[in-house]
């Protein structure tokens, strides 16, 4: 009897309190949003295949990139790893029977779906052209679209994030198995814990800021519009106070996933475990102090810019610690290039490129040249797509046997990982060059001499789209026809592997006792 | 039943209290942009804030402060009595009544200020915007608090020596709402009162 066979009706799923089932509900919902956001991106790359704006109008293009940004950031990336893998794994990895607040957990899924419905309603009603950043005074005074509807959707879904974060923090504090001290926790737990702190401390700021935009739009007075005595810079400060840490909401859990996969397939304990844990906390806390690097050219004080620049460079230190430690974990390991490992290694490489190009953008003078160009687009896609999405998929493959009780087809898994890595670089590496050459973001046409690089990028997008459809196909296939998975097919050391695949309703028949730290791997000699 | 994840009632209680503390941390940050907006407005259009604070009802705001602080006392007593298992309903009724009185006075204030706020221009309009937004979000929180207290009243039979967690958790929330007002009151009613 597993959690999957506890009930087969739709009702048994929609009223479940089981964290594992809620994780699957999230997985279904975010996958749907991922493909909506991806379709918008595909349209954009098609438009950009030619220099002239011929496929869609400028207005439609603006709506496409807004929809792409809003959906990918808030409806896919932010909930992806914490709400799906985190929900499934946090209680299992700490030897708990469920999350601390199971009903709240289900409620946050419903809140997410309601928020999603608002956003889809805005889409159907004609969309929004402000970009996902909702900059004032455009969003409050001039934009014609359904700004308030989209804001309502993002506001509502924010509470889903907050409640999930709160649930994870309390679960980690209160429900650890006997003997599981803080420094015996897997790094995936550390990462989701730190992420949850950001979720509960940053998301409310966004919620109130968006509320103020809606009020200003509806009432015609407010605090952001300069014509009314307000200050648009205030909006940018508040927005980026959330939206920079939001990047760490996306990438810290990805680091957690990589930290589980790499030791397992290198058969080596993770190098410098404590440093890895401290680096996670370091990134999470410094991440709160760097938001001004989005405003170097917006008229904030030069001195503020210098401080923000320095602090942004500082984040590179804990990030580099992580990259070096993953690499050192591989040293003298017995490496298997299985699909999860390929995804994880892809994550490390792409995250490194994204992180290093972030340093360009953190430099005051260079940023003047690069602001609002495709260089920025390439940079954050390397972090969010190359980093987070690769790690998310790696995690889905790694824990697929546990989640579904079936093995995915290994060759297909590897092929998809390699295809995605290739397609991703083909799509986004040319964008660094385009940005450096001065191509601005958010235009539906461009100078003809930039077409070759844009064609590379659009061709890459096609490969990428195929790469994302593949796992949908073969993972779905494996649900029915995949080989049955044993309890621990990877011979991994985490507590989640000590119970059957798929796990029983309350995870463990007996509460596990923990006697040592994680990652007790020995290399095969 | 639904609490299989906890080994003991005490573990459940401490988890719920921690959950509420974290939620209150979220709440502090939720109010954050409003406080920043106020700070920026006060620096940018100071005179408007001076004249604005002369137009709102000082004595009603002061009376409301007294009501709300007293309600925190009765809420604290409700928590104590819930642990003893007797007399909790009386304290909950008093708490809800004081909260409701606050909202009634606030509603009267709003009604008498609406006309002036609607005709205000420039900096004064921003003052009124912040005043309505901040006290409005606070009032919304208080209304939710009253709803929670009413629910505790209905379920009062359950609380006693062994189980009083919902009262404690609601108490934390109630005190938070109170503390927000302790900041709002001086910001709008007191700071500029003697500044002509
Ligand atoms: Cu940033």
């Amino acid at each position: 009897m597993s959690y999957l066979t506890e009930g087969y009706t739709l009702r048994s799923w929609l009223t479940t309190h089981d964290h594992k089932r809620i994780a699957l509900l999230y997985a279904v919902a975010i996958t749907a949003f991922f493909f909506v956001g991806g379709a918008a991106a595909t349209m954009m790359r098609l438009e950009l295949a030619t220099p002239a704006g011929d496929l869609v109008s400028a207005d439609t293009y603006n709506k496409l990139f807004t929809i792409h940004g809003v959906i990918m950031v808030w409806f896919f990336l932010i909930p992806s790893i914490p709400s799906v893998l985190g929900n499934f794994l946090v209680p299992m990895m700490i030897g708990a029977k469920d999350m601390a607040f199971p009903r709240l957990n289900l409620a946050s899924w419903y809140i997410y779906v309601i928020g999603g419905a608002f956003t889809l309603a805005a889409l159907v009603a004609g969309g929004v052209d402000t970009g996902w950043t909702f900059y004032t005074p455009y969003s409050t005074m001039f934009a014609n679209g359904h700004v308030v509807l989209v804001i309502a959707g993002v506001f509502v879904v924010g509470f889903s994030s907050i409640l999930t974060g709160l649930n994870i923090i309390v679960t980690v504090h209160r429900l650890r198995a006997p003997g599981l001290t803080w420094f015996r926790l897997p790094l995936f737990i550390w990462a989701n814990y730190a992420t949850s702190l950001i979720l509960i401390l940053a998301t409310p700021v966004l919620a109130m800021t968006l509320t103020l935009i809606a009020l200003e739009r509806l009432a015609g007075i407010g605090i952001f519009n300069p014509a009314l005595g307000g200050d648009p810079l205030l909006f940018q400060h508040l927005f980026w106070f959330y939206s920079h840490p939001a990047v760490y909401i996306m990438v810290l859990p990805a680091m957690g996933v990589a930290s589980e996969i790499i030791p397992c397939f290198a058969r080596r304990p993770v190098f410098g475990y404590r440093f890895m844990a401290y680096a996670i906390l370091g990134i999470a806390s410094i991440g709160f102090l760097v938001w001004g690097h989005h405003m170097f050219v917006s008229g904030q004080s030069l001195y503020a810019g210098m401080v923000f620049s320095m602090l942004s460079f500082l984040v590179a230190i804990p990030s580099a610690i992580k990259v070096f430690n993953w690499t050192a974990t591989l040293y003298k390991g017995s490496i298997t290039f299985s699909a999860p490992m390929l995804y994880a290694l892809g994550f490390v490489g792409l995250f490194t490129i994204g992180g290093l190009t972030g340093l360009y953008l953190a430099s005051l003078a260079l940023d003047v040249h690069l602001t609002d160009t495709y260089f920025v687009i390439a940079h954050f896609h390397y972090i969010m797509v190359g980093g987070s999405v690769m790690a998310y998929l790696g995690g889905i493959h790694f824990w697929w046997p546990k989640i579904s009780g079936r093995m995915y087809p290994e060759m297909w898994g590897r092929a998809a990982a390699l295809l995605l890595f290739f397609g991703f670089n083909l799509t986004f590496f040319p964008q660094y060059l385009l940005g450096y050459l001065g191509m601005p973001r958010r235009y539906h046409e461009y100078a003809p001499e930039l077409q070759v690089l844009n064609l590379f990028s659009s061709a890459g997008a096609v490969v990428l789209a195929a790469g994302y459809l593949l796992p949908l196909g073969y993972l779905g296939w494996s649900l029915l026809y995949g080989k049955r998975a044993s309890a621990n097919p990877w011979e991994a050391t985490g507590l989640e592997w000590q119970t059957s695949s798929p796990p029983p309703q309350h995870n463990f028949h007996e509460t596990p006792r923990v006697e040592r730290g994680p990652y007790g791997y020995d290399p095969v000699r | 039943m639904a609490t299989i994840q906890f080994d003991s009632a005490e573990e459940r209680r401490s988890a719920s209290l921690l959950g509420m503390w974290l939620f209150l941390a979220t709440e502090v940050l939720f109010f954050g942009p409003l406080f920043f907006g106020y700070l920026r407005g006060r620096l940018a259009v100071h005179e408007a804030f001076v004249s604005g604070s002369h137009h709102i009802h000082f004595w009603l705001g002061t009376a409301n402060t007294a009501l709300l602080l007293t309600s925190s006392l009765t809420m604290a007593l409700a928590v104590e009595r819930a642990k003893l298992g007797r007399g909790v309903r009386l304290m909950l009724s008093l708490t809800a009544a004081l909260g409701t009185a606050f909202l009634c006075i606030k509603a009267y204030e709003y009604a008498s200020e609406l006309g002036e706020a609607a005709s205000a221009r420039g900096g004064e309009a921003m003052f009124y915007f912040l005043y309505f937004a901040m006290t409005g979000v606070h009032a919304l929180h208080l209304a939710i608090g009253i709803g929670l207290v009413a629910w505790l009243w209905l379920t009062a039979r359950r609380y006693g020596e062994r189980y009083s967690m919902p009262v404690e958790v609601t108490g934390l929330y109630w005190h938070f709402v109170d503390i927000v007002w302790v900041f709002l009151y001086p910001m709008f009613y007191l700071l500029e009162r003697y500044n002509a």
Side-chain angles (χ1 to χ4, degrees):
Chain A
M1 194 77 168
S2 79
Y3 79 103
L4 291 171
T5 54
E6 282 294 331
Y8 292 98
T9 57
L10 188 61
R11 208 189 120 107
S12 76
W13 281 88
L14 293 179
T15 59
T16 182
H17 291 163
D18 185 337
H19 67 103
K20 300 181 288 304
R21 286 189 161 214
I22 296 170
L24 293 193
L25 290 176
Y26 266 113
V28 171
I30 71 162
T31 306
F33 276 110
F34 177 80
F35 282 99
V36 174
T42 310
M43 295 280 285
M44 285 151 69
R45 275 325 312 174
L46 278 178
E47 164 59 58
L48 293 172
T50 57
D54 35 23
L55 183 68
V56 296
S57 67
D59 191 43
T60 310
Y61 186 82
N62 293 349
K63 287 175 178 167
L64 284 174
F65 69 64
T66 306
I67 282 311
H68 173 67
V70 167
I71 288 194
M72 287 306 204
V73 170
W74 285 303
F75 295 87
F76 176 72
L77 283 165
I78 299 250
S80 61
I81 298 181
S83 295
V84 179
L85 293 173
N87 233 330
F88 195 94
L89 293 166
V90 166
M92 301 203 62
M93 283 185 167
I94 64 170
K97 297 191 183 78
D98 204 320
M99 295 285 257
F101 307 118
R103 273 185 299 184
L104 200 64
N105 200 9
L106 181 65
S108 45
W109 182 75
Y110 277 102
I111 294 171
Y112 171 84
V113 172
I114 292 167
F118 266 102
T119 308
L120 287 179
L123 256 182
V124 174
V128 178
D129 62 353
T130 59
W132 76 283
T133 46
F134 298 113
Y135 264 29
T136 57
Y138 182 68
S139 60
T140 55
M141 293 295 142
F142 305 107
N144 291 324
H146 298 273
V147 177
V148 174
L149 214 50
V150 174
I151 280 179
V154 175
F155 178 90
V156 170
V157 88
F159 282 90
S160 152
S161 299
I162 291 170
L163 296 178
T164 302
L166 189 153
N167 220 336
I168 290 178
I169 295 176
V170 177
T171 306
V172 174
H173 268 279
R174 291 290 184 262
L175 298 184
R176 299 193 310 278
L180 188 52
T181 56
W182 282 87
F183 283 104
R184 286 177 180 173
L185 287 174
L187 291 169
F188 182 84
I189 298 292
W190 277 103
N192 275 276
Y193 180 83
T195 304
S196 300
L197 284 175
I198 304 177
L199 281 172
I200 67 163
L201 294 178
T203 316
V205 175
L206 176 78
M208 181 53 79
T209 307
L210 293 180
T211 308
L212 286 169
I213 286 203
L215 285 177
E216 183 159 320
R217 218 178 138 80
L218 296 170
I221 48 167
I223 57 172
F224 298 138
N225 181 3
L228 306 171
D231 187 352
L233 272 193
L234 179 65
F235 169 79
Q236 293 181 27
H237 278 295
L238 294 172
F239 180 81
W240 291 112
F241 180 82
Y242 163 80
S243 292
H244 183 81
V247 177
Y248 297 117
I249 297 175
M250 304 171 201
V251 86
L252 282 175
M255 293 171 160
V257 170
S259 303
E260 298 304 312
I261 297 177
I262 290 174
C264 177
F265 291 104
R267 310 311 299 172
R268 291 267 295 160
V270 80
F271 184 85
Y273 167 82
R274 275 189 187 237
F275 272 93
M276 292 294 258
Y278 287 132
I280 287 170
L281 297 180
I283 293 171
S285 31
I286 305 173
F288 267 110
L289 305 173
V290 303
W291 75 88
H293 63 215
H294 297 268
M295 300 167 62
F296 286 158
V297 299
S298 68
Q300 84 181 344
S301 118
L302 179 63
Y303 299 104
M306 285 158 70
V307 173
F308 280 125
S309 169
M310 194 195 75
L311 287 166
S312 304
F313 274 101
L314 221 57
V315 185
I317 295 171
S319 309
I321 288 177
K322 300 207 71 85
V323 171
F324 288 134
N325 283 11
W326 287 317
T327 317
T329 305
L330 297 172
Y331 180 64
K332 289 194 173 168
S334 318
I335 299 172
T336 323
F337 290 104
S338 62
M341 186 65 158
L342 290 178
Y343 280 108
L345 293 176
F347 159 81
V348 174
L350 298 176
F351 171 77
T352 305
I353 298 176
L356 289 175
T357 50
L359 297 178
Y360 288 55
L361 296 167
S363 320
L364 282 173
L366 210 45
D367 186 61
V368 174
H369 176 62
L370 297 173
T371 288
D372 275 345
T373 67
Y374 268 82
F375 193 92
V376 179
I377 305 287
H379 157 68
F380 73 71
H381 279 86
Y382 265 77
I383 299 286
M384 295 179 187
V385 186
S388 304
V389 181
M390 284 296 260
Y392 171 70
L393 286 173
I396 289 287
H397 284 78
F398 185 56
W399 284 290
W400 189 253
K402 186 55 65 186
I403 294 171
S404 70
R406 305 275 187 165
M407 301 303 288
Y408 61 86
E410 181 62 36
M411 284 325 287
W412 282 99
R414 291 183 195 183
L418 292 174
L419 193 68
L420 281 171
F421 185 80
F422 171 72
F424 176 83
N425 282 299
L426 187 59
T427 310
F428 290 102
F429 199 82
Q431 296 189 8
Y432 279 126
L433 307 176
L434 285 167
Y436 200 80
L437 293 172
M439 178 169 166
R441 62 191 289 195
R442 292 185 171 173
Y443 283 87
H444 78 316
E445 47 190 17
Y446 55 87
E449 61 266 30
L450 299 175
Q451 190 178 9
V452 175
L453 287 169
N454 268 296
L455 268 178
F456 275 119
S457 184
S458 291
V462 176
V463 179
L464 211 46
Y468 286 130
L469 286 169
L470 271 183
L472 195 66
Y474 65 76
L475 290 180
W477 175 88
S478 80
L479 279 180
L480 296 176
Y481 307 108
K483 202 166 86 240
R484 296 230 174 244
S486 63
N488 189 1
W490 315 123
E491 294 174 32
T493 57
L495 287 183
E496 75 272 27
W497 300 104
Q498 292 184 12
T499 186
S500 51
S501 302
Q505 192 181 19
H506 295 301
N507 301 343
F508 301 96
H509 293 296
E510 236 168 282
T511 305
R513 294 195 157 271
V514 181
E515 254 116 46
R516 55 191 192 137
Y519 312 117
Y521 293 107
D522 292 311
V524 185
R525 295 282 167 205
Chain B
M1 37 168 273
T3 55
I4 177 123
Q5 69 278 24
F6 297 116
D7 289 337
S8 64
E10 178 48 33
E11 193 174 275
R12 181 178 175 202
R13 174 178 170 272
S14 81
S16 304
L17 286 174
L18 177 63
M20 182 45 91
W21 277 110
L22 291 170
F23 182 71
L24 295 183
T26 291
E27 287 276 34
V28 171
L29 273 295
F30 186 65
F31 277 93
L34 291 169
F35 280 85
F36 262 89
Y38 174 90
L39 182 66
R40 190 260 161 204
R42 214 174 112 79
L43 293 173
V45 285
H46 186 242
E47 327 76 61
F49 276 55
V50 173
S51 73
S53 64
H54 281 85
H55 285 132
I56 55 178
H57 301 287
F58 171 73
W59 287 109
L60 291 180
T62 307
N64 256 349
T65 309
L67 288 178
L68 213 52
L69 289 179
T70 314
S71 80
S72 254
L73 172 68
T74 56
M75 187 71 228
L77 289 172
V79 173
E80 285 309 303
R81 294 210 170 177
K83 285 178 185 164
L84 296 174
R86 56 189 159 77
V88 61
R89 275 208 166 130
L90 172 67
M91 284 305 152
L92 290 172
S93 313
L94 283 174
T95 308
L98 288 164
T100 311
F102 177 99
L103 287 184
C104 291
I105 293 179
K106 199 77 218 148
Y108 171 78
E109 278 186 79
Y110 281 163
S112 67
E113 286 150 355
L114 216 52
E116 197 165 347
S119 60
R121 290 283 167 273
E124 283 214 24
M126 199 200 301
F127 174 84
Y128 276 115
F129 175 80
L130 284 164
Y131 167 76
F132 278 107
M134 295 179 84
T135 57
V137 174
H138 172 262
L140 182 67
H141 278 80
L142 186 58
I144 293 170
I146 293 170
L148 291 173
V149 170
W151 172 73
L152 290 177
W153 193 91
L154 290 174
T155 55
R157 242 175 258 279
R158 289 189 216 158
Y159 310 122
E161 212 177 319
R162 300 209 345 253
Y163 178 66
S164 63
M165 177 269 285
V167 190
E168 290 178 76
V169 170
T170 310
L172 283 178
Y173 175 82
W174 190 275
H175 298 313
F176 168 79
V177 176
D178 197 3
I179 288 171
V180 171
W181 181 257
V182 169
F183 282 91
L184 294 182
Y185 171 61
M187 279 165 55
F188 286 105
Y189 294 88
L190 290 183
L191 273 182
E192 307 298 349
R193 187 169 155 73
Y194 301 104
N195 193 348

